[in-house]
Amino acid sequence: QRPAARLCGPIFAESDLEAQIIRLEGSGVFDKNIIEYPRFAPFTAAGYFVAHSDFLREVPFDPFLPWIFMGEEIIMSARLWTHGYDMFSPTISVLSHIYVRRHKPKFWESVQRVYHPGVHNPLQMLVLNRIKYQLGYPEASKDMIWPQSILTAVDQYTMGTERPLADYLANIAGLNMMEKKVIRGAHWCDSGQPPKGFEQFANLYN
């Protein structure tokens, strides 16, 4: 057994195909030894996501985000946190997967096999606006979204009311959506300390 990695570093994507959506790239093994208590995490990871199925009653997956890839983790993280869920990193590594998988089919290729070549990228650009609207990107405000149907039933699959989105972005994820800046990053995640508002748990990690 060995200490698990933590997913701490967000960036604003630079690829035109990803429309400045948040990518999670700051994964690293920050602990030298296996710790007793799992540390707080700023994000959920789609590749390793463990929770009781009851969460789906409060935070169901959005059926209007077909074949989403980049953007899935930031929108789910924000929705979970604003619904009152805390996120944690595992203390030990229990599994892994080969991320790149060269010469193996990818999910975006399956979309093209079902429909036709070239359909994936325009579809991704379209549904990313639904995510960006919920996260407060200025270019995805309601009066700028087209077609408006991209916001169908968005209120059923959006943020919760237990905690404000602004607190999540500023204090947990460290993101400024208006200026497209990582303002502090999740620096508390790198150090292993609880985020702002959870200092009462710091003694668990000393």
Side-chain angles (χ1 to χ4, degrees), residues 66-177:
W67 298 290
I68 194 67
F69 189 61
M70 292 303 170
E72 176 188 19
E73 292 166 324
I74 184 60
I75 191 63
M76 203 61 186
S77 300
R79 290 181 60 206
L80 285 166
W81 198 87
T82 57
H83 275 87
Y85 287 87
D86 297 329
M87 295 170 280
F88 298 89
S89 297
T91 58
I92 59 173
S93 291
V94 296
L95 55 86
S96 64
H97 71 282
I98 302 171
Y99 186 80
V100 177
R101 300 190 305 279
R102 290 185 174 89
H103 312 301
K104 299 292 184 181
K106 309 299 188 295
F107 87 98
W108 52 83
E109 296 168 355
S110 67
V111 178
Q112 297 180 150
R113 285 197 296 268
V114 171
Y115 295 100
H116 58 78
V119 72
H120 172 264
N121 291 351
L123 176 62
Q124 175 175 268
M125 294 294 289
L126 184 68
V127 298
L128 278 178
N129 278 327
R130 183 178 176 91
I131 293 176
K132 294 171 72 174
Y133 165 76
Q134 294 176 78
L135 293 173
Y137 282 72
E139 69 272 22
S141 59
K142 193 167 188 177
D143 60 335
M144 297 181 71
I145 291 284
W146 185 261
Q148 285 284 304
S149 59
I150 199 64
L151 301 181
T152 297
V154 71
D155 291 341
Q156 298 176 36
Y157 304 100
T158 192
M159 305 304 153
T161 57
E162 292 295 318
R163 297 185 287 206
L165 175 63
D167 282 356
Y168 172 73
L169 294 173
N171 299 321
I172 305 299
L175 297 168
N176 183 325
M177 312 311 286

Side-chain angles (χ1 to χ4, degrees), residues 6 39-40 188-195 202-203 205-206:
R6 293 201 295 278
R39 297 190 190 275
F40 285 88
W188 57 267
C189 177
D190 295 347
S191 67
Q193 294 304 305
N203 65 299
Y205 308 111
N206 295 330

